[in-house]
Structures are given as C-alpha cells and as structure tokens.
Amino acid sequence: LPLAAVSRAIQRMDARALTLDDVNALKSFLPTEEEVKLLRAYRGDLELLAPPDLHFVNLMQIPFLERRLEAFAFILSFDSRVKILKASIDNVKEGCVEVTRSEDLKFLFSSILALGNTLNDGSFAGNAKGFKLESILKLGELKSNVGKQPADFFLYLVEKFYKDRPKLFDLPDKFQHVSRASRECFLDLEKECNCLLEGMRNLKDLLKEGDQDSVLTGVIQAFHSRTSDIPTDLSRELSQVQDSFKKVAEFLAEEVDDGSPGSLFTILHSFACKLEQEKNALLRREAEKEARHRRRIQQEQRRAELQLSAKKASHKSQRGAGSPDKSQPASDPTASNVDEVIEVLSKHSKVAVHLLRNASMHSEERGEET
C-alpha cells in the first residue's frame, strides 16, 4: 500500500487493508519522541519533506496512535488466540476424563502392583499399597534370568495379557487427548487468559477516552459486543480444569506440580506408547515364529518327497539287475545234469563215467556247430 493509504487504514482500523503482521510491523516503525518534536517544529512546505517524514506527519494526525495500533492488533489476533487457548484447555479436560474413565488403565496398574508385590514377597518392598507413576516407565529394567521366561517385566506383562485382553494395548488410541495434554502447562494457559482479560479492559478504557472518535468507537463497540464474555468464560473453564486435574492426581495418588499437568500426562502417554511398541514386537516375534514353523514343515515335506523318490529309484534298479540278459546265450541245463550224474557214478563205475563224458563232449560239439 502507498504510505498515505497505510495511514488511512490505521485510522479506520481496516482489517481488509492491513493484516496482523502488517500492524505488528507498523508498531515497530512509529516516530520517536525526538522525531515528533522535530516534525511539529517544522513550518515549511510539507511537500518538500521526504516520503518517510511525510508518512510520520500523517501518522501524528491519528488520535491515540499507539493505543489504536495495540487495540487493532488485539482485535485481529483475538479469534485465533481464543481458538488455541480453548483447544489447550479442552485437551487437559478431555485428558482427565480419559484417565479417570479408563478401566484398562485401572486393570493394568492393579496388575502391575500385584505382580510387583509377588516378586517382592518377603522383602521390605512387598505388600506395597501403590507405586510412583514414573516407575512404570522403568519396568523394562527389571530383568529375568529364569528359563524361558520373558527377558523383562514389560515383556512379561505383554505376553501375559495380550491373548486374553488385547484391548488393553489400544491405550494410545483411547488416550488421544492425554497425548495432547502432555504438551500443556497451566502457567502458560493462565498467562494467556490474563492477557485476553487485560486486552478487553484496555479496549474499554480506550472506548471511554476516545468517545469523540466515531471510527474508533464503532470498531471497538462492534468487537466488544461479540467477544466481551469470552475471556471470562475461558478463565472460569480453566479454573474448573485445574480442579479436575487435581482429582486425577489424587486418583493416581501422585504429587504433581499444579502448574504443569504435562508431566503427568507425559508419563501416561509414554506408558501407553510403550505398551503398543511391546505389543507390536510380540506380534512380529509370533509372525517370525510362525514363518519358521511353516518353513520347517515345508522342509520336512520336501525331505520326505526326496526320500520317497530315492526309494522308488532303488527298487527300480534292483528289479533291473535281477532280470536275465537276453543278449547272453542261455546255459544248457543238460550239461549241469550230466556233471551231477558223472559225480555220482564216479563212485561206482569208471567205465560208465568214461562213456558219459564222451557223450557229453559230442553233444557240446554239435551245439557249437549249430
């Protein structure tokens, strides 16, 4: 915008011409007291002034310039600040509701306490009535060296309850506002509420003092009629949320800093995320175990198939070796019979043996000729 148009937009508090960033920048470039004195003392032709000096002269003609810009910036930023503050208050409020109504969290905490008392039975730490909230993040440090037991307490907790009560491990989905509330601080929220209340008071004061400025009073009155009760309502709602948070701390038997609900919600959010991580790790291990089991079955089936194939091949080769070879001439059964007869007769008559041998030889010669 030209400098002259900027001056007119400031005087009219025109939100269509100037943004919040523009107004904040203009607040940093106002004439100093010394520059105001010099320009007021100037009696020459205004057209001879440099553009920045002429711009300052125009700004000096606007009533309540600095307060006007402050009020303008407050009006332009009000809706977004209220939206952010309201969301932060709601995060803490809904986070408190999620914790106090969570039966899963109650069950997990009571189970942790019972298991801890069982492990510490007979020691000074046994029969405890409760535990420090921050200690739930250290459950993984409690290791086991017993056989096939899980490596640490957290893994044991997951393996013990996942199959029977898998919904226990959906806490991150059920603790959406707990996660957001972990980033909130009551001191910051109180400070913002007070700034909004103070900004509304400043507008009222400016409205009284600038009752002769119709443009100024028109803008402020229109804004005030729409928003006057919002800062008070937010302040009251914040006070109620702080009371609710104290009840959550009592519910968990935890001493917390009143100004920082985020510390408690951070622990709960981290615990819920840890449960989900261990659950996913358990599912991966089970999937890997199942995959190994399937591979082992496939290997055994393949081995059995190979053994069956080898057995069939062995039987086939044995049958081939036992069958007669047709390429070789068949043996003469008569020859074997003659030899047996000769062996018997040799014991009784040498003449008979001689005759039989001659007959055998003549028979062989006839076979060779054929």
Side-chain angles (χ1 to χ4, degrees), residues 50-194:
D53 293 332
L54 182 59
H55 174 61
F56 281 170
V57 171
N58 292 331
L59 291 179
M60 290 164 53
Q61 310 306 314
I62 300 174
F64 309 104
L65 176 60
E66 292 188 25
R67 294 175 64 185
R68 197 185 204 96
L69 285 172
E70 289 289 346
F72 195 12
F74 179 77
I75 291 171
L76 290 175
S77 66
F78 183 83
D79 289 338
S80 62
R81 292 172 67 179
V82 166
K83 182 178 179 180
I84 294 172
L85 179 58
K86 184 72 167 63
S88 295
I89 294 174
D90 287 343
N91 286 338
V92 180
K93 180 172 67 175
E94 295 301 323
C96 292
V97 173
E98 289 173 353
V99 172
T100 54
R101 292 184 180 178
S102 176
E103 296 298 326
D104 293 337
L105 187 66
K106 295 175 186 177
F107 177 82
L108 282 168
F109 280 4
S110 61
S111 299
I112 291 171
L113 180 60
L115 290 171
N117 282 333
T118 300
L119 291 174
N120 294 322
D121 187 31
S123 69
F124 72 93
N127 199 28
K129 302 299 182 182
F131 53 84
K132 295 291 291 181
L133 190 60
E134 61 184 14
S135 65
I136 63 175
L137 301 181
K138 301 178 182 179
L139 295 178
E141 299 177 6
L142 184 58
K143 305 297 182 180
S144 171
N145 57 2
V146 180
K148 296 183 179 180
Q149 290 291 335
D152 60 58
F153 193 95
F154 230 122
L155 291 177
Y156 175 79
L157 192 69
V158 173
E159 293 186 9
K160 181 176 178 63
F161 295 122
Y162 178 69
K163 292 183 179 180
D164 297 332
R165 302 188 65 162
K167 291 185 178 180
L168 288 174
F169 301 91
D170 295 336
L171 278 181
D173 295 333
K174 300 174 183 177
F175 276 8
Q176 294 291 326
H177 291 91
V178 168
S179 172
R180 298 167 191 160
S182 65
R183 299 186 288 270
E184 305 298 347
C185 175
F186 281 145
L187 294 178
D188 292 338
L189 300 182
E190 289 175 354
K191 182 178 179 180
E192 182 63 6
C193 275
N194 291 333

Side-chain angles (χ1 to χ4, degrees), residues 275-312:
L275 281 177
E276 185 179 42
Q277 291 172 3
E278 294 297 340
K279 177 200 73 173
N280 292 336
L282 175 64
L283 294 178
R284 286 195 300 271
R285 290 194 298 272
E286 290 183 348
E288 293 170 357
K289 182 179 178 181
E290 179 64 23
R292 288 194 300 270
H293 178 66
R294 288 196 301 268
R295 287 196 299 269
R296 185 167 59 252
I297 292 176
Q298 292 172 355
Q299 290 171 354
E300 291 175 354
Q301 291 175 344
R302 180 60 179 164
R303 191 180 299 112
E305 291 173 355
L306 291 175
Q307 290 176 350
L308 181 59
S309 299
K311 190 174 182 180
K312 289 181 178 179

Side-chain angles (χ1 to χ4, degrees), residues 195-266:
C195 286
L196 293 178
L197 290 169
E198 183 179 1
M200 295 302 290
R201 287 193 295 268
N202 291 338
L203 286 183
K204 288 182 180 180
D205 294 341
L206 184 58
L207 187 60
K208 292 178 181 178
E209 296 179 28
D211 58 348
Q212 301 301 317
D213 188 333
S214 60
V215 174
L216 178 65
T217 55
V219 171
I220 294 178
Q221 285 175 348
F223 173 78
H224 190 269
S225 62
R226 177 177 66 87
T227 62
S228 59
D229 296 332
I230 293 178
T232 303
D233 292 342
L234 287 174
S235 182
R236 181 171 56 252
E237 188 174 355
L238 176 59
S239 179
Q240 293 172 350
V241 168
Q242 288 174 312
D243 292 337
S244 298
F245 176 72
K246 291 178 181 178
K247 292 179 181 179
V248 170
E250 293 174 0
F251 168 73
L252 297 173
E254 191 72 11
E255 294 181 2
V256 296
D257 182 1
D258 290 341
S260 182
S263 58
L264 184 147
F265 287 120
T266 296

Side-chain angles (χ1 to χ4, degrees), residues 38-57:
L38 291 174
L39 290 171
R40 284 178 176 171
Y42 180 71
R43 295 292 182 267
D45 188 354
L46 294 179
E47 298 296 331
L48 299 177
L49 292 174
D53 293 332
L54 182 59
H55 174 61
F56 281 170
V57 171

